[in-house]
Amino acid sequence: VNFYFFDNRENKVREEILLNRGNLYGDGFFTTGIVKDGKILHQNRHFERLQNTATKFQFADYNEDLLIQFLLDSLKDIDEACIRITISRQQAGRGYQYNQLSKSDVTVQLSHRPEAPVEPCHLVLSETPVSVNAFLAGSKHLNRLDSVLASRQIKSDNQEVVLFHEDNVIGGSRSNLFVLDNKQWKTPSLEMAGVEGITRQRIIELMQQNGIPVSIEPITLQKIQDVEAAFITNSLLGIWPVSKIADKCLETIHVENLKSDINFVV
Amino acid sequence: VNFYFFDNRENKVREEILLNRGNLYGDGFFTTGIVKDGKILHQNRHFERLQNTATKFQFADYNEDLLIQFLLDSLKDIDEACIRITISRQQAGRGYQYNQLSKSDVTVQLSHRPEAPVEPCHLVLSETPVSVNAFLAGSKHLNRLDSVLASRQIKSDNQEVVLFHEDNVIGGSRSNLFVLDNKQWKTPSLEMAGVEGITRQRIIELMQQNGIPVSIEPITLQKIQDVEAAFITNSLLGIWPVSKIADKCLETIHVENLKSDINFVV
């Protein structure tokens, strides 16, 4: 345990970071992607999602142009990496209320790009629920304790945990879910919970462009244990075929076919 | 906007705080109270709640004895202050999954004790929903975007916003709620959302000790606009009488009588 002690009453210590509302309340949002040759893959989609979230959460000083310039400079010598961009509000005063003029902090962190998994994915059903909030749903905000707690069930590299709201599957702890049900691809609606992933959106568009029907609709716990195929998606993994949901085994050939039908690349 | 850039791949920069999962995911919990003459008021209740939350969230290295010793030393010369104690998990690696051996950070922050409000409280109905998660409900964890967003509606010092899950009131953005309905005091159940406040628990016990019936039960949106009296509670405010809920005015005499009947002091 490290102990930090700050007496903010006398302004003796000005610890910008610990006075950040990201740390105090999870008041912020982020995105995760891959850097290749100095650029973030699909960066316009990342910037668009960040801008939309900044507007929704009233981050008045969020400035896309400054961020793009900062990344251009910072990433120019980076061949390949995993990137996380976090935008969080600075604290002014005490308490939940924020000033609409509050400044924000942008934190960019690089880590090694994870290797693509060799084995297909085993989906485990979460024992803890997804957090439900119709206003927050879809946004990649910093309140992610539901994913943190669900990920306790991940015991090996080829596992992912799927979370539920009542009887409806929302997605994986770090991914979106697609299933093939009655020869129709489906992905859960995210109106009450979950994150609208950039890869999820890309795949929906690629399927539409290639004339492959896909629908966004509620998918029940019973249903996902009775599908023909499934895969999960995120910006780091791309498409990860699922070979097992709980105790039910699945063939991955449908997913491999889909990947080639839509010419998917991460 | 401040920009921070950390390349964690090479271990060039070891920025403990930004690698903290409190900042990354809201993976942590906290408590807020009042320091008087070097001690936290009702500190055993704060320590008990912190310990319970540490156990629930698997903060394996949480150590109450070390915390108590640290506070004894740090607070010995403090006459009066507001205190926040935050416990958050350190990050090891990347991603939501945590190591059960992860170390934690304890951050203690002092600020000026807020003055007790002179005016009674006006309750405003929240336009944004409470976050619902049966596992997280009751805990004072760091995922507080619902309170942050609801507190946008607070326009003056005498206001508080009440949040709802579907048709049921949960509590204020920074407080618990009690209402007098048909001559019976009631407070919302917190099984799906909300924070189990220390002052809420103290008041329930004081009422029970003084033979004043109080029940924990669902309270609907319709019901709270038709009660005889109401007050909100937290560790800083104590009991704050409510004189208005939405457009409905309330007398505060019932609350003043209750305060003296149970000999309540902050």
Side-chain angles (χ1 to χ4, degrees):
Chain A
V1 190
N2 292 334
F3 292 97
Y4 304 99
F5 184 81
F6 300 101
D7 188 338
N8 302 329
R9 294 176 305 165
E10 306 294 332
N11 263 335
K12 272 186 212 154
V13 183
R14 173 72 187 142
E15 255 302 334
E16 308 270 352
I17 293 165
L18 278 164
L19 284 173
N20 183 287
R21 296 169 58 94
N23 214 357
L24 292 169
Y25 312 120
D27 185 5
F29 52 98
F30 69 111
T31 197
T32 308
I34 289 173
V35 178
K36 203 82 200 277
D37 301 325
K39 276 181 65 176
I40 301 171
L41 298 182
H42 316 291
Q43 62 180 25
N44 289 346
R45 290 179 187 266
H46 286 281
F47 293 141
E48 190 186 342
R49 186 172 65 174
L50 289 173
Q51 177 66 65
N52 289 343
T53 314
T55 303
K56 183 172 176 177
F57 291 169
Q58 297 188 317
F59 277 62
D61 84 332
Y62 179 78
N63 186 317
E64 184 174 285
D65 293 336
L66 283 180
L67 176 62
I68 291 173
Q69 190 56 51
F70 179 73
L71 291 170
L72 211 61
D73 295 346
S74 308
L75 303 178
K76 63 179 185 294
D77 299 325
I78 308 293
D79 295 331
E80 190 171 47
C82 170
I83 188 169
R84 172 175 162 138
I85 304 169
T86 308
I87 292 102
S88 52
R89 215 179 322 248
Q90 291 175 10
Q91 180 68 313
R94 214 199 58 74
Y96 293 120
Q97 225 185 331
Y98 61 88
N99 189 320
Q100 287 189 25
L101 302 174
S102 295
K103 291 194 180 300
S104 53
D105 289 328
V106 177
T107 307
V108 177
Q109 291 168 280
L110 298 185
S111 52
H112 285 291
R113 179 175 177 174
E115 288 181 37
V118 182
E119 299 289 314
C121 179
H122 291 184
L123 289 184
V124 180
L125 308 183
S126 178
E127 292 161 1
T128 46
V130 79
S131 293
V132 172
N133 183 311
F135 184 89
L136 298 177
S139 302
K140 199 167 171 79
H141 54 70
L142 296 179
N143 280 201
R144 304 256 74 99
L145 265 174
D146 53 351
S147 285
V148 167
L149 293 166
S151 67
R152 298 194 285 199
Q153 289 174 249
I154 297 176
K155 303 292 183 205
S156 69
D157 283 348
N158 67 343
Q159 291 184 330
E160 168 65 311
V161 182
V162 282
L163 290 99
F164 297 84
H165 167 45
E166 292 165 359
D167 199 35
N168 290 316
V169 59
I170 300 297
S173 71
R174 61 189 193 279
S175 60
N176 292 118
L177 174 71
F178 287 78
V179 297
L180 184 64
D181 172 39
N182 266 325
K183 298 184 180 169
Q184 159 90 41
W185 288 104
K186 297 175 181 176
T187 189
S189 58
L190 303 175
E191 282 173 26
M192 294 306 289
V195 175
E196 283 176 19
I198 277 165
T199 305
R200 173 181 182 268
Q201 193 53 41
R202 284 182 59 219
I203 289 167
I204 290 171
E205 291 174 21
L206 284 169
M207 289 172 88
Q208 288 167 341
Q209 288 159 18
N210 286 279
I212 298 166
V214 56
S215 67
I216 300 169
E217 59 178 76
I219 300 173
T220 65
L221 174 59
Q222 289 69 32
K223 173 58 72 186
I224 65 153
Q225 296 180 80
D226 190 37
V227 294
E228 294 135 43
F231 62 91
I232 61 170
T233 66
N234 71 30
S235 290
L236 304 185
L237 297 163
I239 287 178
W240 195 10
V242 171
S243 64
K244 206 172 169 190
I245 298 181
D247 293 326
K248 167 92 182 289
C249 291
L250 292 176
E251 288 188 19
T252 58
I253 182 71
H254 301 289
V255 180
E256 299 302 340
N257 289 343
L258 176 73
K259 269 174 93 164
S260 79
D261 288 347
I262 63 175
N263 294 308
F264 180 83
V265 283
V266 169
Chain B
V1 189
N2 293 333
F3 292 97
Y4 303 99
F5 185 80
F6 299 101
D7 187 340
N8 302 329
R9 295 175 305 166
E10 306 294 333
N11 263 333
K12 272 187 212 150
V13 183
R14 172 71 187 142
E15 255 302 336
E16 308 270 351
I17 293 163
L18 278 163
L19 284 172
N20 183 287
R21 296 170 58 95
N23 214 358
L24 293 168
Y25 313 120
D27 185 5
F29 52 97
F30 70 111
T31 197
T32 308
I34 289 174
V35 179
K36 202 81 202 274
D37 301 326
K39 275 182 66 176
I40 301 172
L41 298 183
H42 315 291
Q43 62 180 25
N44 289 345
R45 290 179 188 265
H46 286 282
F47 293 141
E48 190 186 344
R49 187 172 65 173
L50 289 172
Q51 178 65 66
N52 290 343
T53 315
T55 303
K56 183 171 176 178
F57 291 169
Q58 297 188 318
F59 277 63
D61 83 333
Y62 179 79
N63 186 318
E64 184 175 287
D65 294 336
L66 283 180
L67 175 61
I68 290 173
Q69 191 56 53
F70 179 73
L71 290 171
L72 212 59
D73 295 344
S74 308
L75 304 179
K76 63 178 182 295
D77 299 325
I78 308 293
D79 295 330
E80 190 172 47
C82 170
I83 187 169
R84 172 175 162 137
I85 304 169
T86 308
I87 292 103
S88 53
R89 217 181 318 252
Q90 291 175 11
Q91 180 68 314
R94 214 199 57 74
Y96 293 121
Q97 225 183 331
Y98 62 87
N99 189 320
Q100 288 190 23
L101 301 176
S102 294
K103 290 194 180 300
S104 52
D105 290 326
V106 177
T107 307
V108 177
Q109 290 167 281
L110 298 186
S111 52
H112 285 292
R113 178 175 179 175
E115 288 180 38
V118 182
E119 300 289 314
C121 179
H122 292 185
L123 289 183
V124 179
L125 308 183
S126 179
E127 292 160 3
T128 46
V130 77
S131 293
V132 172
N133 184 310
F135 185 89
L136 298 177
S139 301
K140 200 169 171 77
H141 54 71
L142 297 179
N143 280 201
R144 302 256 76 100
L145 265 175
D146 53 352
S147 285
V148 168
L149 293 167
S151 68
R152 298 194 284 198
Q153 288 173 249
I154 297 176
K155 303 294 180 204
S156 69
D157 282 350
N158 68 341
Q159 290 183 331
E160 168 66 313
V161 181
V162 281
L163 290 100
F164 297 84
H165 167 45
E166 292 165 359
D167 199 36
N168 290 315
V169 60
I170 299 298
S173 70
R174 61 189 193 279
S175 60
N176 292 118
L177 173 71
F178 288 77
V179 297
L180 184 65
D181 172 40
N182 264 325
K183 299 184 181 170
Q184 159 90 41
W185 288 103
K186 297 176 180 175
T187 189
S189 58
L190 303 176
E191 282 174 24
M192 295 305 288
V195 175
E196 283 175 19
I198 277 166
T199 305
R200 172 182 183 267
Q201 193 53 42
R202 283 182 59 219
I203 289 168
I204 290 171
E205 291 174 21
L206 284 171
M207 289 170 89
Q208 288 167 342
Q209 287 160 18
N210 286 279
I212 299 165
V214 55
S215 68
I216 299 169
E217 59 178 73
I219 300 172
T220 65
L221 173 59
Q222 289 69 33
K223 174 58 73 188
I224 64 154
Q225 298 180 79
D226 190 36
V227 294
E228 293 135 43
F231 62 92
I232 61 170
T233 65
N234 71 30
S235 291
L236 305 186
L237 297 163
I239 287 179
W240 195 11
V242 171
S243 64
K244 206 171 170 192
I245 298 180
D247 294 326
K248 167 92 183 287
C249 291
L250 291 176
E251 287 187 19
T252 58
I253 182 69
H254 301 290
V255 181
E256 298 303 340
N257 289 343
L258 177 73
K259 269 173 94 164
S260 80
D261 288 347
I262 63 175
N263 293 309
F264 181 81
V265 281
V266 169

